[in-house]
Amino acid sequence: MPHLCHFFLTSCGCLINAIETAELNKSFDRKGVPVAALRRFSMSVPQGGVYGILGQNGAGKSTLFRICLGLIRPDSGSVRVLGSAPAAKASLCREVGAMIESPRLFEYLTAEETLRMLAGLCGRRFAMSPGALLDLVGLAGAANRKVGGFSVGMKQRLGIAVALVSRPKLVILDEPTSGLDPVGNQEIRHLIRQLSTRDGVTVVLASHQLEEVSKLCDRVAILHQGSLLAEGKVTELVSARPRLRLLAEPIEHAVALLGQRAERDGEALLATLNHEDVPQLIASLVSRGTKIFEARWVSESLESVFLKHVSGELHARPHHRS
Amino acid sequence: MLGRTIAAEFFKASRRWGLLFWGFVFVPIYSVLVDVVLQLNSIHLDGVVPRIDLFARLARALEGSSSPIAQVFFIVAAATIFGGEYDSQNWRVLAPRARRTDWILAKVLLYGAGAFVSLALMALGATFIALLGAVRLREPILWQAPVDSPLSAMVMLFAISWLELLLLGLTTGLIAVVSRSVLVGAISLILAAFCQTFLSSQVPASVSSIPLLAALPGLCADVARFFVTRTEISPAEYIAARSALVAGASLLVWTSLTLCLTLAWFRQQQFNRE
């Protein structure tokens, strides 16, 4: 029976990962020196939801996306996008939509013409109408304007529309909100959420805005110098170790009581404790005459998780890219 | 899929009036204007009324497309068609949406259609000027084709000129694709075209050296055209049919070779940068 279920689920595409890479290696030649962009990179992005890829500049995010789109070939290893090798399946071009780095569009075409031309490429019966798409990304008023005259934010919105034109199952967005004002930022975040929850589209996005990623993504992967450092649900990564933030005076009493379990966070202390130990700690401090101004549980932010992983890796592998 | 790619390529080109005008319309307009000026001054220059031979005029008009000045415009058009996507970094949007072979074939078709239209406009312009001259000079229009079937001779002339332009465009395209630059593609081919014209001018069109014909595609077009338009067959000017065949075959081989090389290069090209 389990085999039958597996066969059925695989046949209907439910068990196929959106992106699956295995032992992916890619290096570029820069002035005669080979620089590794991806190093034995293996990851699986499940279908459904929003998946965030975090990493510093040069971490390998764009290289990964370009490999997934068939723009570049890996030196070794394999990649499968929606179960197929990139560029091996003709229909993949309409099943995957992407905006890689800053969108480069056709300056001599209008926004509407751009979408019409690209809709024609994937077959009009599959494509979304240009009008509806422009409405969706908030560019309805600029449909007949040449792209060459667009601002950075408008180009960004059109880039997202371009990624969605073929009603794809998988959308890859590289820095989707860069260049957008706060309102535009929120609109695009809402659009991405809507795509995922209402339309069932898998969205894979790379962003430097960790706050945005933690709000938007269900799962994240942290890349550093071409390697996968961490991967998992955002809720698991950020709340793995909730700590007690304690603001007290004199703080030295608390330091003496907690010892190795506490670390300074400005004027406060961050303590790794069990819930049941807190009342006893507070009672001890009060009995020593310590004034307690604040005691609350705090989860780690995605930013601190990211920095912890990246800085740990930097200390571990200082000469890693040469 | 190829049909959609062709439609996209033609749609993009239809919005680039500069490319269409300077690439494929300017040369016919220029040649018509030059023809008009020459015709207006023809009587005054040598004092005799010229004969209006439509075949000769059409042949001369089509041959005009192989002048180095005319070729500059075709080269720039081809470099823009094949290399434009690198300069504007559009491949990241286009390449994943269709097979790479389809993109190159669509571009070849676009350039080929442009060259065809350009030659057709030149022929139409020559016909128009001949008619104008006949009316002005009150002379009959002659059709002195050297072969029994003047229409097939004209078709052959048209085909040779088109093939020559196609080869020029494909070679420009190959350089633009390899160098990922419009400028490099255009400049290198402009220099090559001028060098080839100079070398070809050093060799009589009655040449029958196969290695020379194989090495200079521009000379092949001249030899093939000379064979089709020959009027007086004296022993000195006689071109063996073999030379013409070699020239034609050489043009075809060069064209196929550049197309295959462009396709092969583009298929394996990596877009880590465009």
Side-chain angles (χ1 to χ4, degrees):
Chain A
M1 194 63 181
H3 292 295
L4 197 65
C5 284
H6 185 272
F7 174 75
F8 176 73
L9 289 168
T10 310
S11 308
C12 72
C14 301
L15 285 186
I16 295 171
N17 281 319
I19 297 174
E20 185 145 5
T21 69
E23 297 286 307
L24 216 52
N25 284 298
K26 179 71 191 172
S27 57
F28 296 108
D29 193 69
R30 291 205 184 124
K31 293 175 185 170
V33 182
V35 177
L38 289 176
R39 295 149 33 90
R40 302 186 66 189
F41 185 82
S42 301
M43 73 179 289
S44 299
V45 178
Q47 282 204 57
V50 184
Y51 195 99
I53 295 187
L54 307 176
Q56 294 168 292
N57 292 331
K61 306 182 295 286
S62 297
T63 302
L64 174 68
F65 289 163
R66 281 175 184 260
I67 289 175
C68 290
L69 293 171
L71 290 170
I72 53 177
R73 286 183 310 279
D75 297 335
S76 61
S78 70
V79 58
R80 298 191 85 74
V81 179
L82 297 172
S84 303
K89 198 171 147 193
S91 63
L92 206 59
C93 68
R94 66 165 184 267
E95 291 177 352
V96 182
M99 183 182 75
I100 302 292
E101 293 165 4
S102 54
R104 297 289 181 168
L105 299 162
F106 310 91
E107 309 259 299
Y108 49 88
L109 296 181
T110 65
E112 196 265 342
E113 285 170 345
T114 302
L115 294 176
R116 191 143 51 92
M117 187 265 289
L118 295 171
L121 268 174
C122 63
R124 289 193 198 285
R125 68 195 169 101
F126 301 108
M128 279 180 85
S129 84
L133 262 175
L134 290 171
D135 210 25
L136 197 68
V137 297
L139 282 178
N144 295 316
R145 275 177 59 189
K146 288 258 165 62
V147 175
F150 275 18
S151 66
V152 176
M154 288 168 88
K155 282 183 183 169
Q156 197 74 12
R157 286 167 187 264
L158 186 60
I160 294 170
V162 163
L164 301 178
V165 75
S166 59
R167 293 182 198 274
K169 290 180 184 169
L170 168 66
V171 176
I172 295 171
L173 300 171
D174 199 353
E175 296 287 344
T177 55
S178 84
L180 293 178
D181 55 43
V183 178
N185 225 309
Q186 199 177 22
E187 282 173 10
I188 296 303
R189 272 208 301 265
H190 176 67
L191 172 66
I192 291 171
R193 257 282 147 226
Q194 209 176 32
L195 278 171
S196 165
T197 52
R198 192 190 64 188
D199 304 330
V201 175
T202 307
V203 181
V204 178
L205 64 89
S207 180
H208 291 298
Q209 297 179 37
L210 302 178
E211 183 69 21
E212 171 186 283
V213 172
S214 61
K215 280 182 189 167
L216 206 53
C217 298
D218 306 303
R219 297 181 74 89
V220 291
I222 298 175
L223 265 74
H224 183 64
Q225 295 184 342
S227 302
L228 183 66
L229 293 188
E231 197 272 344
K233 286 184 178 174
V234 176
T235 46
E236 286 170 2
L237 282 175
V238 296
S239 62
R241 291 160 56 205
R243 291 191 288 180
L244 186 76
R245 188 173 193 277
L246 194 69
L247 191 58
E249 197 181 291
I251 199 77
E252 286 71 26
H253 288 171
V255 173
L257 272 173
L258 290 163
Q260 294 286 321
R261 292 180 294 167
E263 66 175 86
R264 293 296 280 261
D265 180 27
E267 289 183 351
L269 273 188
L270 285 173
T272 308
L273 288 174
N274 294 325
H275 268 81
E276 54 272 21
D277 296 336
V278 177
Q280 196 187 344
L281 172 74
I282 303 280
S284 303
L285 287 172
V286 170
S287 68
R288 290 177 186 206
T290 311
K291 292 176 188 167
I292 298 172
F293 300 102
E294 183 184 319
R296 64 184 170 99
W297 289 104
V298 289
S299 292
E300 273 187 304
S301 67
L302 193 56
E303 187 177 343
S304 62
V305 172
F306 175 75
L307 290 173
K308 191 177 71 191
H309 277 98
V310 170
S311 59
E313 191 64 17
L314 276 175
H315 291 307
R317 290 192 297 178
H319 303 298
H320 175 106
R321 281 174 80 82
S322 55
Chain B
M1 201 68 192
L2 177 62
R4 289 177 193 160
T5 321
I6 292 168
E9 204 54 49
F10 274 73
F11 180 81
K12 283 195 290 143
S14 72
R15 297 295 184 274
R16 304 178 80 179
W17 291 104
L19 165 70
L20 295 180
F21 177 77
W22 292 106
F24 303 114
V25 180
F26 177 75
V27 171
I29 290 177
Y30 175 78
S31 69
V32 166
L33 288 176
V34 168
D35 242 14
V36 167
V37 172
L38 283 178
Q39 185 157 304
L40 287 174
N41 294 310
S42 57
I43 301 175
H44 306 292
L45 288 174
D46 46 25
V48 290
V49 178
R51 290 187 315 167
I52 301 171
D53 179 356
L54 185 57
F55 183 87
R57 288 191 175 210
L58 283 173
R60 202 177 61 220
L62 292 176
E63 203 174 337
S65 67
S66 70
S67 81
I69 299 296
Q71 286 191 343
V72 167
F73 292 89
F74 290 108
I75 287 170
V76 171
T80 310
I81 289 171
F82 287 94
E85 255 66 76
Y86 296 98
D87 283 7
S88 51
Q89 299 185 347
N90 291 143
W91 278 127
R92 69 177 70 164
V93 178
L94 292 178
R97 292 173 193 269
R99 278 190 291 265
R100 293 199 181 185
T101 315
D102 291 354
W103 281 117
I104 290 296
L105 290 178
K107 285 181 182 293
V108 171
L109 211 69
L110 172 66
Y111 173 80
F116 185 93
V117 169
S118 200
L119 288 173
L121 287 175
M122 283 184 208
L124 275 175
T127 310
F128 174 72
I129 299 297
L131 285 172
L132 209 69
V135 170
R136 196 174 74 91
L137 301 171
R138 291 177 191 171
E139 284 283 317
I141 294 179
L142 306 172
W143 180 260
Q144 292 183 328
V147 287
D148 296 337
S149 172
L151 192 67
S152 63
M154 193 43 63
V155 170
M156 278 171 73
L157 273 182
F158 195 96
I160 292 164
S161 297
W162 183 74
L163 208 57
E164 187 189 15
L165 286 184
L166 189 65
L167 174 58
L168 186 78
L170 280 170
T171 316
T172 311
L174 174 63
I175 304 290
V177 166
V178 171
S179 65
R180 302 171 190 240
S181 159
V182 172
L183 205 63
V184 174
I187 288 175
S188 48
L189 253 292
I190 288 170
L191 291 174
F194 274 92
C195 287
Q196 188 175 240
T197 308
F198 173 75
L199 289 173
S200 299
S201 69
Q202 306 300 305
V203 182
S206 54
V207 68
S208 59
S209 157
I210 293 173
L212 203 60
L213 285 172
L216 291 172
L219 182 64
C220 291
D222 287 345
V223 167
R225 260 193 298 264
F226 185 75
F227 179 72
V228 176
T229 57
R230 74 202 186 283
T231 48
E232 291 168 17
I233 309 174
S234 66
E237 289 172 329
Y238 180 77
I239 295 187
R242 194 184 64 124
S243 294
L245 271 175
V246 169
S250 179
L251 265 184
L252 278 172
V253 168
W254 272 105
T255 308
S256 314
L257 195 70
T258 32
L259 177 61
C260 291
L261 277 174
T262 312
L263 285 172
W265 189 276
F266 188 68
R267 275 170 64 99
Q268 60 79 45
Q269 196 164 45
Q270 305 221 33
F271 293 118
N272 50 311
R273 64 181 176 89
E274 283 107 311

